[in-house]
Amino acid sequence: DSGVTQTPKHLITATGQRVTLRCSPRSGDLSVYWYQQSLDQGLQFLIQYYNGEERAKGNILERFSAQQFPDLHSELNLSSLELGDSALYFCASTTAPGTGELFFGEGSRLTVL
Amino acid sequence: AQTVTQSQPEMSVQEAETVTLSCTYDTSESDYYLFWYKQPPSRQMILVIRQEAYKQQNATENRFSVNFQKAAKSFSLKISDSQLGDAAMYFCAYRRSNTGKLIFGQGTTLQVKP
């Protein structure tokens, strides 16, 4: 158990809909990262938050948004969903200084029909 | 921009044998971290081993060891005495600093044959 909690574990929805994925980082971790893992694209970095502020942005679509709340949990909002958004969405957290690695949640599997 | 390349989409090894997974990376930084993560069918991302670039000694964790060649920007993973439970997707990853994002390679699927 990494200590990072993601909900829901599985989500099935229709095109055009909006979903919210939630992540609770490890206790004490200030940094939260979101990654998307599609079948054919490996793990793509979406966005990073540090103590409530956006720190870095990757290949995140404009239809997607995220935030980190004062209690350090984070939410990833996906709107106007398309079939191609079907993927496994991982949240990871870490602390600095630390040993460098990111600790991953079990992921949220999104299926868009 | 930093990149990570895993040139072996699939590898297979006989149980109890040794296998090496390759990884190369590109960076202009001198201080960074390198990792191997394992992703079994459960899809959980599990850290296998880490290497700090400033350390010349290769990291070792039980049956897992790395060959870190900083000048060549190479970071291979050796799995000794392979076990059936080692079958998984393995990702090489780079992190520029203690506050940066992880950049992943495309992954290598390892099959372990009994």
Side-chain angles (χ1 to χ4, degrees), chain B residues 64-82:
Chain B
F64 299 86
S65 62
V66 298
N67 184 5
F68 174 46
Q69 301 289 328
K70 191 172 184 179
K73 297 179 182 175
S74 170
F75 183 61
S76 60
L77 175 69
K78 186 171 82 171
I79 306 174
S80 303
D81 185 24
S82 297

Side-chain angles (χ1 to χ4, degrees), chain A:
Chain A
D1 182 4
S2 67
V4 178
T5 303
Q6 289 188 248
T7 56
K9 286 187 168 45
H10 301 277
L11 190 56
I12 302 174
T13 189
T15 55
Q17 295 299 305
R18 172 189 170 94
V19 299
T20 297
L21 310 180
R22 181 187 170 101
C23 169
S24 295
R26 292 188 319 157
S27 177
D29 283 358
L30 300 179
S31 282
V32 169
Y33 301 76
W34 286 97
Y35 284 84
Q36 179 192 55
Q37 186 178 28
S38 304
L39 276 178
D40 58 351
Q41 291 198 11
L43 283 138
Q44 300 294 320
F45 168 70
L46 294 178
I47 198 164
Q48 176 199 358
Y49 280 85
Y50 178 82
N51 201 20
E53 295 189 1
E54 182 183 303
R55 179 61 66 91
K57 190 176 274 191
N59 300 321
I60 187 166
L61 300 172
E62 286 195 8
R63 301 183 286 108
F64 296 1
S65 64
Q67 55 184 325
Q68 186 179 27
F69 294 85
D71 67 352
L72 300 177
H73 91 272
S74 179
E75 293 182 357
L76 178 66
N77 300 298
L78 315 175
S79 62
S80 302
L81 286 168
E82 302 175 358
L83 295 178
D85 297 327
S86 295
L88 190 56
Y89 291 85
F90 282 106
C91 169
S93 74
T94 190
T95 189
T99 49
E101 75 264 31
L102 269 58
F103 297 87
F104 284 80
E106 294 183 354
S108 292
R109 178 170 293 284
L110 173 66
T111 302
V112 182
L113 301 177

Side-chain angles (χ1 to χ4, degrees), chain A residues 33 35 37 40-43 45 48 55 88 90 94-102 104-106 109, chain B residues 33 35 37 39 42-47 50 52 89 91 95 97-107:
Chain A
Y33 301 76
Y35 284 84
Q37 186 178 28
D40 58 351
Q41 291 198 11
L43 283 138
F45 168 70
Q48 176 199 358
R55 179 61 66 91
L88 190 56
F90 282 106
T94 190
T95 189
T99 49
E101 75 264 31
L102 269 58
F104 284 80
E106 294 183 354
R109 178 170 293 284
Chain B
Y33 299 84
F35 306 89
Y37 278 86
Q39 188 178 41
S42 68
R43 307 295 273 184
Q44 176 76 46
M45 295 292 290
I46 302 166
L47 177 69
R50 79 169 70 81
E52 292 90 338
M89 175 84 86
F91 289 95
R95 192 176 184 209
S97 69
N98 216 0
T99 55
K101 65 189 181 205
L102 268 180
I103 300 171
F104 287 91
Q106 288 300 99

Side-chain angles (χ1 to χ4, degrees), chain B residues 3-58:
Chain B
T3 58
V4 178
T5 302
Q6 294 178 248
S7 59
Q8 307 154 315
E10 296 179 355
M11 293 282 285
S12 66
V13 63
Q14 207 69 34
E15 194 176 5
E17 297 293 309
T18 296
V19 64
T20 298
L21 308 184
S22 300
C23 172
T24 58
Y25 59 95
D26 187 22
T27 183
S28 58
E29 304 289 334
S30 59
D31 193 18
Y32 48 87
Y33 299 84
L34 295 165
F35 306 89
W36 281 97
Y37 278 86
K38 170 185 177 180
Q39 188 178 41
S42 68
R43 307 295 273 184
Q44 176 76 46
M45 295 292 290
I46 302 166
L47 177 69
V48 175
I49 200 164
R50 79 169 70 81
Q51 175 83 43
E52 292 90 338
Y54 67 87
K55 291 185 177 179
Q56 294 190 351
Q57 186 173 6
N58 289 325

